[in-house]
Structure formats: C-alpha cells, structure tokens
Amino acid sequence: MAATEGPTADAAGRTIRMTNPDWWRQAAVYQIYPRSYCDWNGDGVGDLAGVLSRVDHIAALKVDAVWFSPFYPSALTDGGYDVDDYRDIDPSIGTLAEFDALVAALHECEIKVVVDLVPNHSSDRHEWFRAALASTPGSRERDRYLFRDGAGENGELPPNDWQAMFGGPAWTRVTEADGTPGQWYLHLFSTHQPDWNWANQEVRDDFLATLRFWGDRGVDGFRVDVAMGLAKDMSEPFPPWEEAGDFLLLALGADNPFGDGKHPLVDRDELTEIYTGWRQVFNSYEPPLFAVAEAWVAPHRRGLYANRESLGQAFNFDLLHAPWDAAAFRGIIQRNVELASEHDTTSTWVFSNHDVVRHASRFAPQPGTTGADGAGRTLPGRGLARAEAAIMLALALPGSTYMYQGEELGLPEVTGIPADQVQDPWAVVENGVMTAGRDGCRVPLPWTTGGVSFGFGAADAHLPQPDWFGSYSVEKQQDDPSSTLSLYREALGLRRMLQSEELLRWLELGPGIVAFRRPNGWISVTNFGTVPVALPPGRVVLRSDRRAANEPLAAEATAWVLHPPE
C-alpha cells in the first residue's frame, strides 16, 4: 500500500485527511463495538473515552482503519442499530467533543475512521417518527416512513402477511392522537425500528446532511447497514410472503422469484440512484470518502453497491459461512477476486463480526463430528488453530480484511448467558440460559488477568464475562511471542510491507492445501489437511503453528514464504 502523509489540522483543530484515495482497497480494518471495548467512566458500558485510552493497543495492531459500530443515541432495543439521532453520540458512550478527540488520536497514528450508518430504519424514538405518530394519515410527517391502512373490516389486520427479521408481523399498528386504533407502519426488523420511506425526498436529503456532518468531522468513510434494503416497492396489491420469501434468504443462495432488481423489499435497481447521490457527497471531499455495503445479495449483484459510482465496496460474507475445507475456501476466493475485478473494486475477507459466533468457536470441531476427539467432544484448541490459520490466509489475499475486536486475542464465543442478562432481541433462551444469539460475541473484552471486569472498567460489565476470560486478556498475551495477539501484530506488520498488486496466482501443492503467490514473491500456504506438509523453497517469515522455519507445516496452519519475484 502507498505510504500515507502525516495528518494536519483544520481551523477548528480537527484532523483532516491526507492520504492515498485508494487506501481502502487493501486495508486491514478493525471493528470496534464501543459498548464492549473499554469502560472509562466505570458505569459498566464501554465508551469513547475508553477507546481513546486503548489507542496504543489499536496502533500496535498496525491496522489501517477502525470501523465503529453505532454509538448514536439509542434505546438499545437492537444493540444501537435503533437510532434516535444520526448526528449525535449516546450520552452513555460519550460526546461529540470526545469523538473529535478520538478521530484526532487515530489519525495521528495514521489510522482511518469508518462509522456505521443505519439508513434502512430509525428508532421509534426518532423525532421524525414521534412527529409521524402525532400527525394524521396522509401527512408529510407520515410520508417519511411507510404507513399504510390495515386490512379487515376496520383496519384491524396488518396490510399484508410480511414477516419481520426478529419474528412476528413486519407491521405494527399505532394509536392515533385521538386515542383510536390507527394505521400500521412497516418494520423489517423489530417493532422499535420503523423503516424509512426512501421514495421521500426529505429522507434522502436528510441522509445527505448526515454524510456531510460526519465527513466534516474528519470521518474517512461509512459502513452501510442493510444497504440492500432502502428502496422498496410498496404498490398494491402486495405479493404474499410465501411468494416474496424471506428477504435474507436471497443472500444465502435462494432464488429471487421476481428477477434481479425487482424484489419488493431488497436489492432493487432504484438503489443505484440513491447511492449515486451519496457518491457525489463522497467525491466532494479530498480524498473522497469511502463506503462499504452490508449487502446480503447474490454475488453477481454486489457490483450495484461496489462500483466507483456507488458506495465503492461491498462485504463478501462467503468465507464467514464456509466450512473448514480447502476446496470451499479456494472456490470462494477465486470467485470473489474475479467479481471484484469485474467491478473495479476489491473483495473483503471476514470471519467474525458483531452478529455471528466468533470463528475460533465456529471452526472448532463440534460434538458428534469426525473432527472432534474420540469421545465426540468439541476441541476448542483446534478451533483457535484454524482461526489463526484463516486470518493469515485472509491477510495475504488481495483486498480488504475486516477483523472484529477480540479476535486478536483468540476469544471464543461466550455461552450460557443467563436469561435475565440477555440483551439481544434475536436471542433464543432455553432452560434459563441463552442458547443462540449475538450477545456471546459482544461480551466486553478482557484487558487484564483479573479485576472486577478483567480491566474493562471499574464496575461489572454490561454483559457477564466468564471466569476464564482473564486467560485470554491483553495483559496475559502482551509479552508472549507465542500468543494470538503477537501473531496478529506480526502478521499485520508484515502485511503492510508485503502488499503488492491486487493479483494472485494459485500454486498446486497437493490435496487439502490452499496456496497462492502474490506478484512480489509472497507465498501463502494453508494446510487444511490432517498431516504436516513440506513448504515450498524460500525464506519462511511467519507461520501460525510456531514451528521452526525448516519444519513441515502442521495441519490446520498457515505459513508465509518469501521467494524472489518471478
């Protein structure tokens, strides 16, 4: 990657961007979930001041950018993705002045700042939604959202049978100002997250103002939540749900019965017009702002979001869903490198985030499988070995690698959260504990081996930390050259030096091996098999199995080898 120039300040003292406009194409991006990173004021909730106090940790990782999950004012009915005000900070997390200080500190370390934007829906506490509730059917205020009259003789039924992501109908009925039952509003997620009407020009203009607000504060880019969901066809008669299908199933390979760009709820062609308008705002900055789309769409549709006239990049979640299998990994990599090239963008590589089980647990051979031990039990150590091998493989690929806080510590998923402490509206609770949900990957980080909350803060953390957390802490791993943290730091540092043209050439080293060569002589070899394999000739600079350079590569491990460029 091209070297960046040092940051300078504007008249207000904020840092301004001085950088290669294509920094994002092969960036290493570190996701921070602010509520669970570090608690500075001791109230049990992570905050911006806490992140600021840990900038040295972030800088030591040698990442290129930090992506902040939502920090906006919110009732937290969906972990902050229910936004009350897009141009402010939740008081429990900090202030705009603290945000400015954090941006300045990260820029001083030549680390870019990416913030989460949630444009599909607001919270039901947003001032515009409160105005809509106080208004009348057909009003300007209601047109900013998707209000419809109900079905049935007295409007007592939802307008149609569409279902919400978090269960139940995708419609909620309101009580009108005079106390009578009224219209229904659409929410593809929880009832506390009413969907915006993106056919409304006021909504479009307000989001352009939000982009400028954060751009003017020095933000380098945006992660766009549910980017495929903004445009909707609300013309009647509505298609029945069994015909429309679960809109997220489209991302998992389900056929779109309406044809490309024509589904009533997601991935519509009208999104092009919306994101072209955003691109005009992005390009008004020097260098242009960046955006990456969370777009759960068929692979061939990612170009709608990832081209240079649109957002610029779109998440590829294929490896996140892939089994530990050489053929699966190689096929996904090949397909996504080709797709990115077609649209003059780069692919993204991601294994964990705030919505999924941590991959150190996901990759562990599960009970009852042939990969478990003789008694059929999970082998968590093998899950971590695979996770370390996977991140080294991803960091060697052309494109951007997105990492989630705590994976640099090798954190596994936290399980068994008591029912009365569960926060995720999507969680499944059985026999008094959470058995499925997103809280397990959002448990606050362990910074020290002991203490009230393992160094997270001076009070108990907002989600319970298990007793074993201290053994994964930064303090425990900081000076251990064999730790996961040391591996991440070394790999990310080498990656900065070794990145080259956005190309790779496959090497055929045998079954169960994924190996490729970058144009500068950088070779990555991952052993998905069960027996050690010989490495190709060259200078071994890093290996996840911690063996000596001249030893065969262990099973479930990755090595990087330098060889003279061809």
Side-chain angles (χ1 to χ4, degrees):
M1 298 178 64
T4 60
E5 303 172 41
T8 59
D10 65 11
R14 303 190 191 109
T15 56
I16 59 175
R17 294 164 293 270
M18 299 287 289
T19 186
N20 170 13
D22 288 333
W23 64 266
W24 53 271
R25 293 186 66 92
Q26 298 195 82
V29 184
Y30 182 61
Q31 181 190 359
I32 289 179
Y33 188 76
R35 288 174 50 79
S36 295
Y37 201 70
C38 183
D39 171 21
W40 181 257
N41 64 8
D43 64 356
V45 176
D47 43 46
L48 297 182
V51 179
L52 182 61
S53 74
R54 301 295 184 179
V55 166
D56 57 343
H57 173 78
I58 302 167
L61 284 175
K62 302 178 181 66
V63 295
D64 301 299
V66 169
W67 151 31
F68 288 100
S69 292
F71 41 59
Y72 310 106
S74 171
L76 300 174
T77 61
D78 184 22
Y81 285 87
D82 47 319
V83 178
D84 298 348
D85 184 344
Y86 292 87
R87 299 196 280 272
D88 203 354
I89 308 289
D90 192 284
S92 69
I93 292 178
T95 65
L96 286 170
E98 289 175 327
F99 178 81
D100 291 341
L102 180 55
V103 171
L106 290 169
H107 281 176
E108 286 292 338
C109 298
E110 299 188 359
I111 297 172
K112 313 299 182 296
V113 177
V114 177
V115 300
D116 223 314
L117 190 66
V118 188
N120 179 72
H121 47 263
S122 75
S123 82
D124 57 358
R125 305 195 314 177
H126 191 284
E127 64 175 349
W128 277 9
F129 190 72
R130 294 200 307 266
L133 294 181
S135 187
T136 56
S139 66
R140 168 188 173 186
E141 289 80 7
R142 290 216 172 166
D143 190 58
R144 297 165 178 158
Y145 292 90
L146 295 169
F147 280 83
R148 293 294 184 273
D149 293 332
E153 184 176 352
N154 298 303
E156 70 277 9
L157 300 176
N160 61 34
D161 65 348
W162 291 349
Q163 298 296 297
M165 262 293 297
F166 295 155
W171 298 92
T172 290
R173 195 175 196 184
V174 304
T175 300
E176 302 295 354
D178 62 5
T180 61
Q183 289 188 300
W184 300 71
Y185 65 87
L186 181 70
H187 51 87
L188 293 187
F189 292 85
S190 81
T191 187
H192 301 290
Q193 295 165 290
D195 282 32
W196 289 109
N197 175 17
W198 275 87
N200 181 289
Q201 191 61 45
E202 274 192 283
V203 171
R204 296 191 180 201
D205 290 345
D206 195 63
F207 270 91
L208 295 180
T210 293
L211 297 176
R212 295 187 185 98
F213 177 87
W214 294 109
D216 291 347
R217 301 196 89 89
V219 160
D220 301 280
F222 301 90
R223 178 263 189 187
V224 183
D225 185 64
V226 195
M228 73 290 186
L230 281 57
K232 299 177 179 70
D233 179 5
M234 299 301 296
S235 58
E236 300 184 39
F238 300 117
W241 189 245
E242 62 267 20
E243 181 179 338
D246 184 332
F247 60 94
L248 283 185
L249 287 180
L250 299 179
L252 303 178
D255 292 332
N256 180 353
F258 299 90
D260 283 353
K262 304 299 181 184
H263 192 280
L265 297 175
V266 293
D267 192 35
R268 294 186 59 79
D269 287 340
E270 298 97 302
L271 289 166
T272 299
E273 179 185 355
I274 294 171
Y275 293 138
T276 297
W278 289 24
R279 174 50 56 186
Q280 292 174 1
V281 172
F282 296 162
N283 289 348
S284 69
Y285 291 85
E286 182 57 42
L289 302 182
F290 153 78
V292 57
E294 183 203 29
W296 294 88
V297 297
H300 71 278
R301 291 286 294 176
R302 288 191 194 127
L304 173 70
Y305 310 86
N307 66 76
R308 285 186 177 271
E309 287 70 46
S310 186
L311 296 175
Q313 193 178 63
F315 276 118
N316 150 35
F317 295 117
D318 295 351
L319 286 180
L320 189 149
H321 296 292
W324 182 257
D325 177 80
F329 268 61
R330 177 163 169 167
I332 287 168
I333 293 166
Q334 179 67 31
R335 179 172 66 251
N336 283 285
V337 167
E338 291 173 353
L339 284 170
S341 178
E342 288 176 15
H343 299 289
D344 190 22
T345 185
T346 57
S347 189
T348 67
W349 313 107
V350 56
F351 295 105
S352 284
N353 61 34
H354 63 291
D355 280 337
V356 299
V357 172
R358 288 187 177 276
H359 63 285
S361 292
R362 204 172 63 246
F363 281 149
Q366 297 301 305
T369 69
T370 56
D373 70 3
R377 295 172 297 201
T378 297
L379 293 179
R382 287 181 60 188
L384 178 57
R386 291 175 174 181
E388 292 178 339
I391 193 61
M392 280 187 60
L393 183 156
L395 289 172
L397 291 168
S400 296
T401 303
Y402 284 77
M403 299 161 289
Y404 179 53
Q405 65 178 46
E407 72 170 79
E408 76 273 21
L409 305 177
L411 282 181
E413 187 81 352
V414 175
T415 59
I417 296 175
D420 61 355
Q421 297 184 61
V422 169
Q423 298 175 10
D424 182 9
W426 210 358
V428 177
V429 175
E430 298 175 350
N431 299 320
V433 298
M434 187 185 79
T435 56
R438 298 170 296 177
D439 286 345
C441 67
R442 299 177 180 183
V443 173
L445 298 188
W447 294 95
T448 59
T449 56
V452 175
S453 56
F454 300 103
F456 171 68
D460 289 336
H462 67 93
L463 281 169
Q465 299 165 301
D467 293 340
W468 47 261
F469 238 33
S471 63
Y472 286 86
S473 67
V474 174
E475 180 184 32
K476 179 77 171 178
Q477 300 190 41
Q478 181 81 27
D479 300 317
D480 180 359
S482 67
S483 69
T484 303
L485 178 58
S486 293
L487 179 72
Y488 266 72
R489 288 174 173 175
E490 191 169 0
L492 284 158
L494 282 168
R495 182 182 190 273
R496 282 188 170 182
M497 295 187 289
L498 295 174
Q499 278 289 9
S500 64
E501 298 172 75
E502 297 170 11
L503 301 170
L504 65 77
R505 180 169 64 82
W506 294 109
L507 301 178
E508 305 300 336
L509 301 183
I513 306 298
V514 172
F516 53 89
R517 178 175 181 144
R518 299 292 298 276
N520 60 354
W522 179 14
I523 296 173
S524 174
V525 182
T526 303
N527 182 4
F528 285 80
T530 58
V531 297
V533 297
L535 288 169
R539 181 166 66 92
V540 178
V541 294
L542 189 64
R543 45 193 301 164
S544 66
D545 59 5
R546 281 77 163 180
R547 292 188 177 189
N550 60 347
E551 291 187 48
L553 181 66
E556 302 173 332
T558 295
W560 289 350
V561 180
L562 296 187
H563 193 276
E566 297 177 334

